[in-house]
Amino acid sequence: MGMIEIGSRDELNKLYNKPTNRKLKYGAIIAISISIVLLFTILIWSGQLSSQCTLLLKGFAGLFAIIFAVLSGVLVYRVNKEYISKRR
């Protein structure tokens, strides 16, 4: 009731499942997965890791989180651009 429907779910799913968009989607999922694994590594072995290693792992986790944000932003932009251009 409270959601705004832009268009047909099937149309959007077709756009998200195009080969280039699918690659972006999988790349974003892999990037956030690596970031989560690195953060869990810090959590599990926090006592055995040096402070330099901890900072390095946190830096890489942040880098992969930024990559995830960029990839998902590009994906949403590409899909919305194509969807809007088809409707005109």
Side-chain angles (χ1 to χ4, degrees), residues 12-68:
L12 289 174
N13 284 335
K14 285 179 189 175
L15 292 175
Y16 273 106
N17 286 326
K18 284 184 134 180
T20 54
N21 293 339
R22 197 176 321 131
K23 289 177 188 176
L24 283 171
K25 182 170 50 172
Y26 291 151
I29 290 171
I30 289 170
I32 200 64
S33 299
I34 291 172
S35 180
I36 290 170
V37 167
L38 289 173
L39 289 174
F40 275 129
T41 302
I42 295 170
L43 184 67
I44 292 171
W45 289 298
S46 62
Q48 292 120 359
L49 295 175
S50 66
S51 61
Q52 288 178 336
C53 186
T54 303
L55 285 175
L56 186 67
L57 288 175
K58 284 182 182 180
F60 279 120
L63 178 67
F64 281 109
I66 291 170
I67 290 171
F68 166 75

Side-chain angles (χ1 to χ4, degrees), residues 16 24 70-82:
Y16 273 106
L24 283 171
V70 169
L71 287 176
S72 57
V74 168
L75 175 65
V76 169
Y77 172 77
R78 286 175 54 99
V79 168
N80 286 334
K81 180 183 151 194
E82 191 170 341

